[in-house]
Amino acid sequence: MSHDTLPHPVKTGAAPAARPDGRRRRRHWTRRPDPLAGLGSVVWLVVVIVPVYAMITASLTPRDEALGNNALKPPAHPTLANYSTVLHSGFFHYLWNTVLAAVAVVAIVLVLCVPLAYVAVRTRGFWSGAAFRLFLLGVAIPAQAVVVPLYLMIAKLNLYDSLLAIILPTAAFAMPVAILVLTGSLRDISEEVYEAMALDGASPLRMLFQLVIPMSKGGISTVGIYSALQAWNGFLFPLIFTQSEGPRVLTLGLFNYVSQFGVDIPALLASVVLSGIPIFAVYLVARRALVGGLMGVGGK
């Protein structure tokens, strides 16, 4: 059989057409519209936006008009007097205490949980596995179930009515989730990278600082944001373990507008708006790291 009569090879797939410069064109994939998903997104947006709108509207309403107006109706005479009342009622003191507590909680959680997660991932011994499971047990224990023993411990350590009485329990209850997230992040690091550094003579401590921490920035960022949110929004521990104005945080500062004769609703909501702005700004900046780190829990 001559070459002219040889069958031509069968093409299994058409290659992308070449451009004049010799490079192939990339295929552009288009997604089909999903009306159900779009409707669900709109419903969820309304569920989130309407309460925020009502809160901001009420915070701009004069106190004598707060109870008579529709919550969704813009105030006829908007005023910033409620925000002025909040700012002159110790708000910056509560804000400073809250920032200190959040920074301290994040520092404690990161300093302790990164090495613990590293040991849990790299060590295959019985004790490391038992310690890891013990930390995970903390996820299932609610703070309300152990508040009485914690109160006794805080009192015995002479830490009652101090910022440490808020910081230490908050960090302890943030650590189980932090360990879970960090172990999932560390398991994504290839074993070959560890072996290459070990062949170069790197010690475990050097691997921790030069390999694990740089390659786990997503998980570390997630843990930091999660711990900061826990400290910022915490209410139970400040309520039980403090009583004076000195260590009071923002969540307890809201009680300034609640009395036995009534509630100053516009000032209360103005305080909520002001206290939510800093942590909301942090969330907007680092939301990708938070979502990405939580999606990676469990590792490979």
Side-chain angles (χ1 to χ4, degrees):
M1 184 180 295
S2 63
H3 292 287
D4 296 336
T5 58
L6 287 175
H8 294 286
V10 178
K11 295 183 180 180
T12 57
R19 298 193 303 185
D21 58 1
R23 292 182 296 175
R24 296 184 181 276
R25 295 179 180 175
R26 295 182 179 179
R27 293 179 178 177
H28 296 280
W29 300 94
T30 57
R31 295 182 178 180
R32 295 180 179 178
D34 191 345
L36 186 60
L39 178 61
S41 301
V42 172
V43 171
W44 178 248
L45 182 63
V46 171
V47 169
V48 173
I49 292 296
V50 170
V52 175
Y53 167 77
M55 179 177 63
I56 296 175
T57 301
S59 68
L60 297 173
T61 304
R63 185 176 182 181
D64 54 353
E65 300 178 6
L67 297 179
N69 288 350
N70 186 350
L72 299 180
K73 182 181 178 181
H77 304 91
T79 178
L80 295 177
N82 302 312
Y83 289 92
S84 178
T85 300
V86 171
L87 294 177
H88 290 86
S89 300
F91 176 81
F92 291 105
H93 173 70
Y94 305 147
L95 177 64
W96 175 248
N97 286 341
T98 307
V99 171
L100 286 179
V103 171
V105 168
V106 171
I108 292 173
V109 170
L110 292 182
V111 169
L112 295 179
C113 290
V114 172
L116 287 172
Y118 173 63
V119 171
V121 171
R122 296 297 299 159
T123 306
R124 300 291 185 261
F126 170 78
W127 292 110
S128 63
F132 177 68
R133 288 189 290 270
L134 182 63
F135 270 100
L136 293 187
L137 183 63
V139 178
I141 300 177
Q144 294 84 353
V146 295
V147 69
V148 174
L150 281 176
Y151 176 83
L152 296 177
M153 292 175 60
I154 293 294
K156 290 289 185 181
L157 294 173
N158 295 323
L159 296 177
Y160 182 76
D161 200 24
S162 67
L163 273 180
L164 282 177
I166 302 173
I167 292 170
L168 296 179
T170 304
F173 276 88
M175 286 179 66
V177 176
I179 292 288
L180 182 63
V181 173
L182 287 173
T183 50
S185 179
L186 266 60
R187 287 194 179 102
D188 288 337
I189 301 176
S190 175
E191 185 71 24
E192 288 77 8
V193 182
Y194 287 110
E195 294 176 356
M197 288 200 68
L199 291 176
D200 288 340
S203 62
L205 189 61
R206 181 183 169 189
M207 289 185 187
L208 175 63
F209 284 100
Q210 296 186 0
L211 174 64
V212 172
I213 293 178
M215 297 189 67
S216 304
K217 291 181 179 179
I220 293 174
S221 301
T222 301
V223 168
I225 298 168
Y226 170 78
S227 304
L229 288 173
Q230 293 292 103
W232 197 275
N233 298 324
F235 178 76
L236 179 63
F237 294 146
L239 177 65
I240 301 298
F241 301 146
T242 63
Q243 64 177 1
S244 65
E245 287 286 328
R248 182 163 291 189
V249 294
L250 285 173
T251 50
L252 284 186
L254 300 178
F255 276 112
N256 290 342
Y257 314 103
V258 180
S259 66
Q260 60 179 336
F261 303 106
V263 181
D264 189 351
I265 296 177
L268 177 64
L269 294 180
S271 179
V272 172
V273 171
L274 290 176
S275 62
I277 289 175
I279 200 66
F280 182 68
V282 172
Y283 172 76
L284 286 180
V285 172
R287 67 187 184 279
R288 292 183 181 272
L290 178 63
V291 176
L294 292 177
M295 289 179 63
V297 173
K300 294 181 179 180

